[in-house]
Coordinates of all heavy atoms in Angstrom, one line a residue:
M440 N 0.8 -1.2 0.0 CA 0.0 0.0 0.0 C 0.9 1.3 0.0 O 1.8 1.4 0.9 CB -0.9 0.0 1.3 CG -2.0 1.0 1.2 SD -3.0 1.0 2.7 CE -4.5 0.3 2.2
N441 N 0.7 2.1 -0.9 CA 1.4 3.4 -0.9 C 0.6 4.5 -0.4 O -0.5 4.4 0.0 CB 2.0 3.7 -2.4 CG 0.8 4.0 -3.3 OD1 -0.2 4.4 -2.9 ND2 1.1 3.8 -4.6
I442 N 1.3 5.7 -0.3 CA 0.6 6.8 0.4 C -0.7 7.2 -0.3 O -1.6 7.6 0.3 CB 1.6 8.0 0.5 CG1 1.0 9.2 1.3 CG2 2.1 8.5 -0.9 CD1 1.2 9.0 2.8
K443 N -0.7 7.1 -1.6 CA -1.9 7.4 -2.4 C -3.1 6.6 -1.9 O -4.2 7.1 -1.8 CB -1.6 7.3 -3.9 CG -2.8 7.8 -4.7 CD -2.4 7.8 -6.2 CE -3.6 8.1 -7.0 NZ -3.3 8.2 -8.4
H444 N -2.8 5.3 -1.8 CA -3.9 4.4 -1.4 C -4.4 4.7 0.1 O -5.6 4.6 0.4 CB -3.4 2.9 -1.4 CG -3.2 2.5 -2.8 ND1 -2.1 1.8 -3.2 CD2 -4.0 2.6 -3.9 CE1 -2.2 1.5 -4.5 NE2 -3.4 2.0 -5.0
I445 N -3.4 5.1 0.9 CA -3.8 5.4 2.3 C -4.7 6.6 2.3 O -5.7 6.6 2.9 CB -2.5 5.7 3.1 CG1 -1.7 4.4 3.2 CG2 -2.9 6.2 4.5 CD1 -0.3 4.6 3.8
I446 N -4.3 7.7 1.6 CA -5.1 8.9 1.6 C -6.4 8.6 1.0 O -7.5 9.1 1.5 CB -4.3 10.0 0.7 CG1 -3.0 10.4 1.4 CG2 -5.2 11.2 0.6 CD1 -2.1 11.3 0.6
Q447 N -6.4 7.8 -0.1 CA -7.7 7.5 -0.7 C -8.6 6.7 0.2 O -9.8 7.0 0.3 CB -7.4 6.6 -2.0 CG -8.7 6.2 -2.7 CD -8.5 6.1 -4.2 OE1 -7.4 6.1 -4.7 NE2 -9.6 6.2 -4.9
S448 N -8.1 5.8 1.0 CA -8.9 5.1 1.9 C -9.5 5.9 3.0 O -10.5 5.7 3.6 CB -8.2 3.9 2.5 OG -7.1 4.3 3.3
I449 N -8.8 7.0 3.3 CA -9.3 7.9 4.4 C -10.4 8.8 3.8 O -11.4 9.0 4.4 CB -8.1 8.9 4.9 CG1 -7.1 8.0 5.6 CG2 -8.7 9.9 5.9 CD1 -5.8 8.8 5.9
F450 N -10.2 9.4 2.6 CA -11.1 10.4 2.1 C -12.1 10.0 1.2 O -13.3 10.3 1.3 CB -10.3 11.6 1.5 CG -9.5 12.3 2.5 CD1 -8.1 12.2 2.6 CD2 -10.1 13.2 3.4 CE1 -7.4 12.9 3.5 CE2 -9.4 13.9 4.3 CZ -8.0 13.7 4.4
K451 N -11.7 9.2 0.2 CA -12.7 8.9 -0.9 C -12.5 7.4 -1.3 O -12.0 7.1 -2.3 CB -12.5 9.8 -2.1 CG -12.7 11.3 -1.8 CD -12.7 12.1 -3.1 CE -13.1 13.5 -2.8 NZ -12.9 14.4 -4.0
P452 N -13.0 6.6 -0.5 CA -12.8 5.1 -0.7 C -13.4 4.7 -2.1 O -12.9 3.8 -2.7 CB -13.6 4.5 0.4 CG -14.0 5.5 1.4 CD -13.8 6.8 0.7
R453 N -14.4 5.4 -2.6 CA -15.0 4.9 -3.8 C -14.6 5.6 -5.0 O -14.9 5.2 -6.1 CB -16.5 4.9 -3.7 CG -17.1 3.6 -3.2 CD -18.6 3.7 -2.8 NE -18.8 3.6 -1.4 CZ -19.1 4.6 -0.6 NH1 -19.2 5.8 -1.1 NH2 -19.2 4.4 0.7
E454 N -13.8 6.7 -4.9 CA -13.5 7.5 -6.0 C -12.0 7.4 -6.3 O -11.2 7.2 -5.4 CB -13.7 9.0 -5.7 CG -14.8 9.6 -6.5 CD -15.1 11.0 -6.0 OE1 -14.4 11.9 -6.5 OE2 -16.0 11.2 -5.2
Q455 N -11.6 7.5 -7.6 CA -10.2 7.5 -7.9 C -9.6 8.8 -7.6 O -10.1 9.9 -8.1 CB -10.1 7.1 -9.4 CG -8.7 6.9 -9.9 CD -8.0 5.7 -9.2 OE1 -8.7 4.7 -8.9 NE2 -6.7 5.8 -8.9
L456 N -8.6 8.9 -6.8 CA -7.9 10.1 -6.5 C -7.0 10.6 -7.6 O -6.3 9.9 -8.2 CB -7.1 10.0 -5.2 CG -7.7 10.2 -3.8 CD1 -6.6 10.2 -2.8 CD2 -8.4 11.6 -3.8
Q457 N -7.0 11.9 -7.8 CA -6.1 12.5 -8.7 C -4.7 12.7 -8.0 O -4.7 13.0 -6.9 CB -6.6 13.9 -9.1 CG -8.0 14.0 -9.8 CD -8.0 13.2 -11.1 OE1 -7.1 13.5 -11.9 NE2 -9.0 12.4 -11.3
D458 N -3.7 12.6 -8.8 CA -2.3 12.8 -8.2 C -2.2 14.2 -7.6 O -1.6 14.3 -6.6 CB -1.3 12.6 -9.3 CG -1.0 11.2 -9.6 OD1 -1.4 10.3 -8.8 OD2 -0.3 10.9 -10.6
E459 N -2.8 15.1 -8.3 CA -2.8 16.5 -7.8 C -3.3 16.6 -6.4 O -2.8 17.3 -5.6 CB -3.8 17.2 -8.8 CG -3.5 18.7 -8.9 CD -4.6 19.3 -9.8 OE1 -4.9 18.7 -10.9 OE2 -5.2 20.3 -9.4
V460 N -4.4 15.9 -6.1 CA -5.0 15.9 -4.8 C -4.0 15.3 -3.8 O -3.8 15.9 -2.7 CB -6.3 15.2 -4.7 CG1 -6.9 15.1 -3.3 CG2 -7.3 15.8 -5.7
V461 N -3.4 14.3 -4.1 CA -2.4 13.6 -3.3 C -1.3 14.5 -3.0 O -0.8 14.7 -1.8 CB -1.9 12.3 -3.9 CG1 -0.8 11.7 -3.1 CG2 -3.0 11.3 -4.1
I462 N -0.8 15.2 -4.0 CA 0.3 16.2 -3.8 C -0.1 17.3 -2.9 O 0.7 17.7 -2.0 CB 0.8 16.7 -5.2 CG1 1.5 15.5 -5.9 CG2 1.8 17.9 -5.0 CD1 1.7 15.8 -7.4
K463 N -1.3 17.8 -3.1 CA -1.7 18.9 -2.2 C -1.8 18.5 -0.8 O -1.4 19.2 0.1 CB -3.1 19.4 -2.7 CG -3.1 20.3 -3.9 CD -4.2 21.3 -3.8 CE -4.1 22.3 -5.0 NZ -5.1 22.0 -6.0
F464 N -2.3 17.3 -0.6 CA -2.4 16.7 0.8 C -1.0 16.6 1.4 O -0.8 17.0 2.6 CB -3.1 15.3 0.7 CG -3.3 14.7 2.1 CD1 -4.3 15.2 2.9 CD2 -2.5 13.7 2.5 CE1 -4.6 14.7 4.2 CE2 -2.7 13.2 3.8 CZ -3.7 13.6 4.6
L465 N -0.1 16.1 0.6 CA 1.3 16.0 1.2 C 1.9 17.4 1.5 O 2.6 17.5 2.5 CB 2.2 15.3 0.1 CG 1.9 13.8 0.0 CD1 2.8 13.2 -1.1 CD2 2.1 13.0 1.3
Q466 N 1.5 18.4 0.7 CA 2.0 19.7 1.0 C 1.5 20.2 2.3 O 2.1 20.9 3.0 CB 1.7 20.7 -0.2 CG 2.6 20.5 -1.4 CD 2.1 21.2 -2.6 OE1 1.0 21.6 -2.7 NE2 3.0 21.3 -3.6
V467 N 0.2 19.9 2.5 CA -0.4 20.3 3.8 C 0.3 19.7 4.9 O 0.7 20.4 5.9 CB -1.9 20.0 3.8 CG1 -2.5 20.2 5.2 CG2 -2.7 20.8 2.8
L468 N 0.6 18.4 4.8 CA 1.3 17.7 5.9 C 2.7 18.3 6.1 O 3.1 18.5 7.2 CB 1.5 16.2 5.5 CG 0.3 15.3 5.6 CD1 0.7 13.9 5.3 CD2 -0.3 15.4 7.0
E469 N 3.3 18.7 5.0 CA 4.6 19.3 5.1 C 4.6 20.6 5.9 O 5.4 20.9 6.7 CB 5.2 19.5 3.7 CG 6.6 19.7 3.6 CD 7.4 18.5 4.1 OE1 7.1 17.4 3.9 OE2 8.4 18.8 4.8
N470 N 3.6 21.4 5.6 CA 3.4 22.7 6.3 C 3.2 22.5 7.8 O 3.7 23.3 8.6 CB 2.2 23.5 5.7 CG 2.6 24.0 4.3 OD1 3.8 24.2 4.0 ND2 1.6 24.3 3.5
I471 N 2.4 21.5 8.1 CA 2.1 21.3 9.5 C 3.5 21.0 10.2 O 3.8 21.5 11.3 CB 1.1 20.2 9.7 CG1 -0.2 20.6 9.2 CG2 1.0 19.8 11.2 CD1 -1.2 19.4 9.1
R472 N 4.2 20.1 9.6 CA 5.5 19.7 10.2 C 6.5 20.9 10.3 O 7.2 21.0 11.3 CB 6.1 18.6 9.4 CG 5.7 17.2 9.9 CD 6.6 16.2 9.4 NE 6.9 16.4 8.0 CZ 7.8 15.7 7.3 NH1 8.5 14.8 7.9 NH2 8.0 16.0 6.0
A473 N 6.4 21.8 9.3 CA 7.3 22.9 9.3 C 7.1 23.9 10.4 O 8.0 24.6 10.8 CB 7.2 23.6 7.9
E474 N 5.9 23.8 11.0 CA 5.6 24.7 12.1 C 6.0 24.2 13.4 O 5.9 24.9 14.4 CB 4.1 25.0 12.1 CG 3.8 26.1 11.0 CD 2.3 26.5 11.1 OE1 1.8 26.5 12.2 OE2 1.8 26.9 10.1
E475 N 6.4 23.0 13.4 CA 6.9 22.4 14.7 C 8.4 22.7 14.8 O 9.2 22.5 13.9 CB 6.7 20.9 14.8 CG 5.4 20.6 15.4 CD 5.1 19.1 15.4 OE1 6.1 18.4 15.4 OE2 3.9 18.8 15.3
L476 N 8.9 23.0 16.0 CA 10.3 23.3 16.2 C 11.0 22.0 16.5 O 10.5 21.1 17.1 CB 10.5 24.2 17.3 CG 10.0 25.7 17.2 CD1 10.2 26.4 18.5 CD2 10.8 26.3 16.1
T477 N 12.2 21.9 16.0 CA 13.1 20.8 16.4 C 13.7 21.1 17.8 O 13.7 22.2 18.2 CB 14.2 20.5 15.4 OG1 15.0 21.7 15.4 CG2 13.6 20.3 14.0
C478 N 14.4 20.1 18.4 CA 15.1 20.3 19.6 C 16.2 21.4 19.5 O 16.3 22.2 20.4 CB 15.7 19.0 20.1 SG 14.4 17.9 20.8
S479 N 16.9 21.3 18.4 CA 18.0 22.3 18.3 C 17.5 23.7 18.1 O 18.1 24.7 18.6 CB 19.0 21.9 17.2 OG 18.4 21.7 16.0
E480 N 16.4 23.8 17.4 CA 15.8 25.2 17.2 C 15.3 25.7 18.5 O 15.4 26.9 18.8 CB 14.6 25.1 16.2 CG 15.1 25.1 14.7 CD 14.0 24.7 13.8 OE1 13.0 24.0 14.2 OE2 14.1 24.9 12.6
T481 N 14.6 24.8 19.3 CA 14.1 25.2 20.6 C 15.3 25.6 21.5 O 15.2 26.7 22.1 CB 13.4 24.1 21.2 OG1 12.3 23.7 20.3 CG2 12.8 24.5 22.6
Y482 N 16.3 24.8 21.5 CA 17.5 25.1 22.3 C 18.1 26.4 22.0 O 18.5 27.2 22.9 CB 18.5 23.9 22.1 CG 19.6 24.0 23.2 CD1 19.4 23.5 24.4 CD2 20.8 24.6 22.9 CE1 20.4 23.5 25.4 CE2 21.8 24.6 23.8 CZ 21.6 24.1 25.1 OH 22.6 24.2 26.0
A483 N 18.2 26.7 20.7 CA 18.8 28.0 20.2 C 18.0 29.2 20.7 O 18.5 30.3 20.9 CB 18.9 28.0 18.7
R484 N 16.7 29.0 20.9 CA 15.9 30.1 21.3 C 15.4 30.1 22.7 O 14.7 30.9 23.2 CB 14.6 30.2 20.4 CG 15.0 30.4 18.9 CD 13.9 30.2 18.0 NE 12.7 31.1 18.2 CZ 11.6 31.0 17.5 NH1 11.4 30.1 16.6 NH2 10.6 31.8 17.8
L485 N 16.0 29.1 23.4 CA 15.5 28.9 24.8 C 15.9 30.1 25.8 O 15.1 30.5 26.6 CB 16.1 27.6 25.3 CG 15.2 26.9 26.4 CD1 13.8 26.7 26.0 CD2 15.8 25.5 26.7
D486 N 17.1 30.6 25.6 CA 17.6 31.7 26.4 C 16.6 32.9 26.3 O 16.2 33.4 27.3 CB 19.0 32.2 25.9 CG 20.1 31.3 26.3 OD1 19.8 30.3 27.0 OD2 21.3 31.7 26.0
E487 N 16.3 33.2 25.1 CA 15.5 34.3 24.8 C 14.1 34.1 25.4 O 13.5 35.0 26.0 CB 15.3 34.4 23.2 CG 14.7 35.6 22.7 CD 14.5 35.4 21.2 OE1 15.2 34.6 20.5 OE2 13.5 36.0 20.7
F488 N 13.6 32.9 25.2 CA 12.3 32.5 25.7 C 12.2 32.6 27.3 O 11.3 33.2 27.8 CB 12.0 31.1 25.3 CG 10.6 30.6 25.8 CD1 9.5 30.9 25.1 CD2 10.6 29.7 26.9 CE1 8.2 30.4 25.6 CE2 9.3 29.2 27.3 CZ 8.2 29.6 26.7
V489 N 13.2 32.1 27.9 CA 13.2 32.1 29.4 C 13.3 33.6 29.9 O 12.7 34.0 30.8 CB 14.4 31.3 29.9 CG1 14.5 31.4 31.4 CG2 14.1 29.8 29.6
E490 N 14.2 34.4 29.2 CA 14.3 35.8 29.6 C 13.0 36.5 29.5 O 12.6 37.3 30.4 CB 15.4 36.4 28.8 CG 16.7 36.7 29.5 CD 17.8 37.2 28.6 OE1 17.6 38.2 27.9 OE2 18.8 36.5 28.6
T491 N 12.3 36.3 28.4 CA 11.1 36.9 28.2 C 10.1 36.5 29.2 O 9.3 37.3 29.8 CB 10.5 36.5 26.8 OG1 11.4 36.8 25.8 CG2 9.2 37.3 26.5
E492 N 10.1 35.3 29.6 CA 9.2 34.7 30.6 C 9.5 35.3 31.9 O 8.5 35.7 32.6 CB 9.3 33.2 30.6 CG 8.3 32.7 31.6 CD 7.9 31.2 31.3 OE1 7.0 31.0 30.5 OE2 8.6 30.3 31.8
V493 N 10.7 35.4 32.3 CA 11.1 36.0 33.6 C 10.7 37.5 33.7 O 10.2 37.9 34.7 CB 12.6 35.8 33.9 CG1 13.1 36.6 35.1 CG2 12.9 34.3 34.1
Q494 N 10.9 38.2 32.6 CA 10.6 39.6 32.6 C 9.1 39.9 32.5 O 8.6 40.8 33.2 CB 11.3 40.3 31.4 CG 12.8 40.5 31.7 CD 13.6 40.7 30.5 OE1 13.0 41.0 29.4 NE2 14.9 40.6 30.5
S495 N 8.4 39.3 31.6 CA 7.1 39.7 31.4 C 6.0 38.6 31.6 O 4.8 38.9 31.6 CB 6.9 40.2 29.9 OG 7.1 39.2 29.0
K496 N 6.4 37.4 31.6 CA 5.5 36.3 31.8 C 4.6 36.1 30.6 O 3.6 35.4 30.6 CB 4.7 36.4 33.0 CG 5.5 36.6 34.3 CD 6.0 35.2 34.8 CE 6.9 35.4 36.0 NZ 7.8 34.3 36.3
D497 N 5.0 36.7 29.5 CA 4.2 36.6 28.3 C 4.8 35.8 27.2 O 4.4 35.8 26.0 CB 3.9 38.0 27.7 CG 2.6 38.6 28.2 OD1 1.8 37.8 28.8 OD2 2.3 39.8 28.0
A498 N 5.8 35.1 27.6 CA 6.6 34.3 26.6 C 5.7 33.3 25.8 O 5.9 33.1 24.6 CB 7.7 33.5 27.2
D499 N 4.7 32.8 26.5 CA 3.8 31.8 25.8 C 3.1 32.4 24.6 O 2.9 31.8 23.6 CB 2.7 31.3 26.7 CG 3.3 30.4 27.8 OD1 4.6 30.2 27.7 OD2 2.6 29.8 28.6
K500 N 2.7 33.7 24.8 CA 2.0 34.4 23.7 C 3.0 34.8 22.6 O 2.6 34.8 21.4 CB 1.3 35.6 24.2 CG 0.0 35.3 24.9 CD -0.6 36.5 25.5 CE -1.3 36.2 26.8 NZ -1.2 37.3 27.8
I501 N 4.2 35.2 22.9 CA 5.1 35.7 21.9 C 5.7 34.5 21.1 O 5.8 34.6 19.9 CB 6.2 36.5 22.6 CG1 5.6 37.7 23.3 CG2 7.3 36.9 21.6 CD1 6.5 38.3 24.4
T502 N 6.0 33.4 21.8 CA 6.6 32.3 21.1 C 5.9 31.0 21.5 O 6.5 30.1 22.2 CB 8.1 32.2 21.4 OG1 8.3 32.4 22.8 CG2 8.9 33.2 20.7
P503 N 4.6 30.8 21.1 CA 3.9 29.7 21.5 C 4.5 28.3 21.0 O 4.2 27.3 21.6 CB 2.5 29.9 20.8 CG 2.7 30.9 19.8 CD 3.9 31.7 20.2
L504 N 5.2 28.4 19.9 CA 5.8 27.2 19.4 C 6.8 26.6 20.3 O 7.0 25.4 20.4 CB 6.4 27.4 18.0 CG 5.4 27.6 16.8 CD1 6.2 28.0 15.6 CD2 4.6 26.4 16.6
I505 N 7.5 27.4 21.0 CA 8.5 26.9 21.9 C 7.8 26.3 23.1 O 8.2 25.2 23.5 CB 9.5 28.1 22.4 CG1 10.3 28.5 21.2 CG2 10.3 27.6 23.6 CD1 11.4 29.5 21.5
R506 N 6.8 26.9 23.6 CA 6.0 26.4 24.7 C 5.5 25.0 24.3 O 5.5 24.0 25.1 CB 4.9 27.3 25.1 CG 3.8 26.7 26.0 CD 4.4 26.2 27.3 NE 4.9 27.3 28.1 CZ 5.7 27.1 29.2 NH1 6.0 25.8 29.5 NH2 6.2 28.1 29.9
E507 N 5.0 25.0 23.1 CA 4.4 23.7 22.6 C 5.4 22.6 22.6 O 5.1 21.5 22.9 CB 3.9 24.0 21.1 CG 2.7 23.3 20.7 CD 2.2 23.9 19.4 OE1 2.6 23.3 18.4 OE2 1.4 24.8 19.4
H508 N 6.6 23.0 22.1 CA 7.7 22.0 22.1 C 8.1 21.5 23.5 O 8.2 20.3 23.7 CB 8.9 22.5 21.3 CG 10.0 21.5 21.2 ND1 10.1 20.7 20.1 CD2 11.0 21.1 22.0 CE1 11.2 19.9 20.3 NE2 11.7 20.1 21.4
L509 N 8.1 22.5 24.4 CA 8.5 22.1 25.8 C 7.5 21.2 26.4 O 7.9 20.3 27.2 CB 8.6 23.4 26.6 CG 9.8 24.3 26.2 CD1 9.7 25.6 27.1 CD2 11.1 23.7 26.4
D510 N 6.2 21.4 26.0 CA 5.2 20.5 26.6 C 5.3 19.1 26.1 O 4.9 18.1 26.8 CB 3.8 21.1 26.2 CG 3.4 22.3 27.0 OD1 4.1 22.5 28.1 OD2 2.5 23.0 26.7
M511 N 5.9 18.9 24.9 CA 6.0 17.6 24.3 C 7.3 16.9 24.5 O 7.4 15.7 24.3 CB 5.8 17.7 22.8 CG 4.5 18.3 22.3 SD 4.5 18.2 20.4 CE 6.1 18.9 20.0
C512 N 8.3 17.7 24.9 CA 9.6 17.2 24.8 C 10.3 17.3 26.2 O 10.7 18.4 26.7 CB 10.5 17.9 23.8 SG 12.2 17.4 23.7
P513 N 10.4 16.2 26.9 CA 11.0 16.2 28.3 C 12.4 16.7 28.3 O 12.8 17.4 29.3 CB 10.9 14.7 28.8 CG 10.1 14.0 27.7 CD 10.0 14.8 26.5
D514 N 13.2 16.4 27.3 CA 14.6 16.8 27.3 C 14.7 18.3 27.3 O 15.4 18.9 28.1 CB 15.3 16.3 26.1 CG 15.5 14.8 26.2 OD1 15.4 14.2 27.3 OD2 15.9 14.2 25.1
C515 N 14.0 18.9 26.4 CA 14.0 20.4 26.3 C 13.4 21.0 27.5 O 13.8 22.1 28.0 CB 13.3 20.9 25.0 SG 14.3 20.5 23.5
N516 N 12.4 20.4 28.0 CA 11.7 21.0 29.2 C 12.7 21.0 30.4 O 12.7 21.9 31.2 CB 10.5 20.1 29.5 CG 9.5 20.9 30.4 OD1 9.2 22.1 30.2 ND2 9.1 20.2 31.5
E517 N 13.5 20.0 30.5 CA 14.4 19.9 31.6 C 15.4 21.1 31.5 O 15.8 21.7 32.5 CB 15.2 18.6 31.5 CG 15.8 18.1 32.8 CD 16.3 16.7 32.6 OE1 15.5 15.7 32.5 OE2 17.5 16.5 32.7
E518 N 15.9 21.3 30.2 CA 16.8 22.4 29.9 C 16.2 23.7 30.3 O 16.8 24.6 30.9 CB 17.1 22.3 28.4 CG 18.4 23.0 28.0 CD 19.6 22.3 28.7 OE1 19.7 21.1 28.7 OE2 20.4 23.1 29.2
Y519 N 14.9 23.8 30.0 CA 14.2 25.0 30.2 C 14.0 25.3 31.7 O 14.3 26.4 32.2 CB 12.8 24.9 29.6 CG 11.7 25.8 30.1 CD1 11.7 27.2 29.8 CD2 10.7 25.3 31.0 CE1 10.7 28.0 30.4 CE2 9.8 26.1 31.5 CZ 9.8 27.5 31.2 OH 8.8 28.3 31.7
E520 N 13.7 24.3 32.5 CA 13.5 24.4 33.9 C 14.9 24.8 34.5 O 14.9 25.7 35.5 CB 13.1 23.1 34.5 CG 11.8 22.5 34.1 CD 10.6 23.1 34.8 OE1 10.8 23.9 35.7 OE2 9.5 22.8 34.4
A521 N 16.0 24.3 34.1 CA 17.3 24.6 34.6 C 17.6 26.0 34.3 O 18.1 26.8 35.2 CB 18.3 23.7 34.0
L522 N 17.4 26.5 33.1 CA 17.6 27.9 32.7 C 16.8 28.8 33.6 O 17.2 29.9 34.0 CB 17.3 28.1 31.3 CG 18.5 28.0 30.3 CD1 18.0 28.1 28.9 CD2 19.5 29.1 30.6
L523 N 15.5 28.5 33.7 CA 14.6 29.3 34.4 C 15.0 29.4 35.9 O 15.0 30.5 36.5 CB 13.2 28.7 34.4 CG 12.0 29.5 34.9 CD1 11.9 30.8 34.0 CD2 10.7 28.7 34.9
A524 N 15.5 28.3 36.5 CA 16.0 28.4 37.9 C 17.2 29.3 38.0 O 17.2 30.1 39.0 CB 16.3 27.0 38.3
I525 N 18.1 29.2 37.1 CA 19.3 30.1 37.1 C 18.9 31.6 37.0 O 19.3 32.4 37.8 CB 20.2 29.7 35.9 CG1 20.8 28.3 36.1 CG2 21.4 30.8 35.8 CD1 21.5 27.8 34.9
L526 N 18.0 31.9 36.1 CA 17.6 33.3 35.9 C 16.8 33.8 37.1 O 17.0 34.9 37.5 CB 16.8 33.4 34.6 CG 17.6 33.6 33.3 CD1 16.6 33.8 32.1 CD2 18.4 34.9 33.4
E527 N 16.0 33.0 37.6 CA 15.2 33.5 38.8 C 16.1 33.7 40.0 O 15.8 34.6 40.8 CB 14.1 32.4 39.1 CG 13.2 32.2 37.9 CD 11.7 32.4 38.3 OE1 11.2 31.6 39.0 OE2 11.1 33.4 37.8
N528 N 17.1 32.9 40.1 CA 18.0 33.1 41.2 C 19.0 34.3 41.1 O 19.5 34.8 42.0 CB 18.9 31.8 41.4 CG 18.0 30.7 42.0 OD1 17.1 31.0 42.8 ND2 18.3 29.5 41.7
T529 N 19.2 34.8 39.8 CA 20.1 35.8 39.6 C 19.4 37.2 39.5 O 20.0 38.2 39.2 CB 21.0 35.6 38.4 OG1 20.1 35.4 37.3 CG2 21.9 34.4 38.5
K530 N 18.1 37.2 39.6 CA 17.3 38.4 39.5 C 17.7 39.4 40.6 O 17.8 39.0 41.7 CB 15.8 38.2 39.5 CG 15.2 38.3 38.2 CD 13.7 38.5 38.3 CE 13.0 37.3 38.9 NZ 11.5 37.4 38.8
Ligands
ZN225 ZN1 13.1 18.9 22.3

């Protein structure tokens, strides 16, 4: 079973899917993934995120993608907690 068959079985079991539709669907999936941060991207922006949070507590609104990643990723969350502890102690 290839991806085209999978998509077809989800959306239109009785109709023959056009390649164009399959490609569009894959592009949508690609876009969703592109909005998720990787660990290294999160790590690179973590300092900034924690600083914003310590100063204004609005970091979630400014960079929701980082918060989202932290919620899903225990490794990065640990890093975040450590940074936060350091910053709070040096205020
Ligand atoms: Zn991570």
Side-chain angles (χ1 to χ4, degrees):
M440 195 183 247
N441 65 25
I442 186 83
K443 187 172 171 180
H444 291 133
I445 295 169
I446 295 169
Q447 178 143 21
S448 68
I449 297 170
F450 291 104
K451 298 189 173 173
R453 266 170 251 103
E454 250 175 81
Q455 187 62 36
L456 268 190
Q457 304 294 313
D458 281 347
E459 205 183 310
V460 175
V461 176
I462 289 164
K463 281 213 178 101
F464 184 76
L465 290 176
Q466 282 169 344
V467 169
L468 284 183
E469 198 60 42
N470 286 336
I471 293 169
R472 273 199 311 175
E474 282 188 27
E475 268 178 31
L476 292 175
T477 64
C478 287
S479 54
E480 280 166 340
T481 303
Y482 192 81
R484 296 167 64 183
L485 209 52
D486 281 4
E487 193 192 332
F488 179 80
V489 174
E490 254 171 57
T491 308
E492 183 155 271
V493 169
Q494 281 161 15
S495 66
K496 305 281 176 195
D497 266 348
D499 288 3
K500 279 176 217 146
I501 298 161
T502 44
L504 286 176
I505 291 184
R506 166 60 65 194
E507 217 168 89
H508 183 94
L509 294 176
D510 285 345
M511 300 182 311
C512 178
D514 288 348
C515 289
N516 197 46
E517 204 173 293
E518 202 61 48
Y519 158 76
E520 299 278 356
L522 265 175
L523 190 63
I525 294 167
L526 274 179
E527 300 235 289
N528 285 328
T529 53
K530 252 199 299 188

